Structures are given as C-alpha cells and as structure tokens.
Amino acid sequence: MLESEEAGMIRSDAARNRAKVLAAAEIVLGEQGLTARMDEIARRAGVGVGTVYRHFATKEALYAAIVSARVDLLLDEAARLRAAAEPQTGFFRFFAQVVADAARKKTLTDALLSAGIDVKAEQAGQRTQMREALADLLRDAQRVGAVRPDVGMPEILALLRGASMAAETGDYSGPVIDRTLAVLFDGLRPHAVHAPPPSA
C-alpha cells in the first residue's frame, strides 16, 4: 500500500473515532453532566480511553467541541437549504432548526458554564458564519416574496434570540414551540394591506 493511501486511511479512522466520541459524549452529558467519566464516554463510543484523550485533553475541551460540531451541522444545513433552491421555505426551516437545537443543547450549555467555559467566546467565528448564513436565506426568501420586505437582520436576530432562549430555558413542549413558531412565521410573511372601512 502506498504511504499516502495509508496516511489517508489513518486520518479517516481518526475522523470516525472523533465523531463517535462526540456523539457518545453528548449522550453521556445529557445523562450525567460534567460528573461523567472519560472512560464511560470511551465505552459508549466503542474506543479506548486513550483515543478520547488523544482528541480531547479534558472533558471541558470535549464538550466545547460538541457545541462547535452542532453549529457546524447547522451551517451545513444552511448551505444545503440554499443549494436546494427553495427560498420560499429555506429561511423558515433554518430558523426552526436553530430554535430546536437551542432546546436540545441546554444541558450541554449549563455544563460548560459551570466549568467556567464561555460558550459565546468559543463560538465567535461560528456566530459570524451563522449570521451570514441566516442573512443569505433571508435575502433569498425576500427576493421571492416569502418574507415581508420591511424586516431586516436586527429584527430577525432579536426574534431568533427570543425564540431560542424560550426553547432553551422554558419548560415548553415540542407542540407549544411549533405553534409559537407558526405564529411568529405568520407575522414575517407578507400580508395584504387593506384600506380602512369608510367612515359612516
């Protein structure tokens, strides 16, 4: 086997192991928080504990990587939605997915904060990418008339932050969040402006 092929296989194996560790760690964190042991994460991932430490020196580094990986998935989804060329729905789907992700990562965020990790600082670059992805989807939606033209990014970011915080910190069921988003999205869609009735 050529050395380049062997090196490629090693990198591929390492990437798979890293992904397995991240997936297992997210599950264990949801169950046990920062009290989880690295050997338990390794067991769930089906790898040796040494493999976990080769990728992540501490649990805090591992959990910070989970947050980063989740944002990367959202960015990939934003790119997929734009490539699908369905701007009338792409913006709303992405908005809903960001809110759903906020609801899922509450335990993870709480654990990182308790460990003294500033999640926002860790994600500074990704947050810029997220804003750009959202702005692209908004422009696409407004171009085809799916979102009212008088709404800009400041309003969208305020609405997204509010919805995400409600999903992350509130004790709301999935159906309640879905209905709330439906109301919010209805307000973002263009509506015909009717003239007031003539005075008597």
Side-chain angles (χ1 to χ4, degrees):
M1 181 180 293
L2 297 175
E3 290 185 5
S4 60
E5 293 178 347
E6 184 175 359
M9 290 182 63
I10 292 173
R11 286 193 296 271
S12 180
D13 287 343
R16 281 194 296 271
N17 284 338
R18 187 178 190 276
K20 288 193 293 185
V21 170
L22 286 172
E26 187 168 359
I27 294 171
V28 174
L29 174 65
E31 297 172 353
Q32 304 174 22
L34 285 179
T35 62
R37 295 171 55 88
M38 293 290 255
D39 56 357
E40 172 62 12
I41 294 170
R43 185 186 69 79
R44 299 278 190 103
V47 300
V49 70
T51 297
V52 177
Y53 279 110
R54 275 195 297 275
H55 289 285
F56 309 102
T58 64
K59 283 188 290 187
E60 291 80 7
L62 171 56
Y63 294 149
I66 295 172
V67 174
S68 179
R70 293 183 74 93
V71 177
D72 283 340
L73 288 175
L74 286 171
L75 290 170
D76 289 344
E77 179 61 11
R80 188 195 68 77
L81 288 168
R82 290 202 78 201
E86 296 179 354
Q88 66 274 17
T89 58
F91 167 79
F92 296 109
R93 287 181 180 175
F94 186 65
F95 193 113
Q97 287 175 2
V98 173
V99 173
D101 186 73
R104 288 193 298 268
K105 72 180 182 183
K106 182 183 186 316
T107 302
L108 178 61
T109 302
D110 288 348
L112 289 171
L113 287 174
S114 69
I117 297 174
D118 186 342
V119 179
K120 291 185 177 180
E122 293 282 337
Q123 292 182 292
Q126 287 181 312
R127 288 169 65 197
T128 297
Q129 291 178 284
M130 283 286 288
R131 283 193 295 270
E132 291 172 351
L134 187 62
D136 288 340
L137 288 165
L138 174 63
R139 281 193 296 270
D140 292 345
Q142 288 176 322
R143 189 182 67 251
V144 299
V147 173
R148 49 195 289 183
D150 61 331
V151 174
M153 279 299 291
E155 292 81 15
I156 293 300
L157 291 174
L159 290 169
L160 183 59
R161 181 178 183 183
S164 296
M165 287 183 65
E168 184 176 346
T169 62
D171 188 21
Y172 303 112
S173 66
V176 170
I177 292 175
D178 290 343
R179 289 195 297 272
T180 302
L181 286 177
V183 173
L184 189 156
F185 291 165
D186 185 61
L188 289 174
R189 292 188 174 94
H191 293 273
V193 178
H194 298 286
S199 58

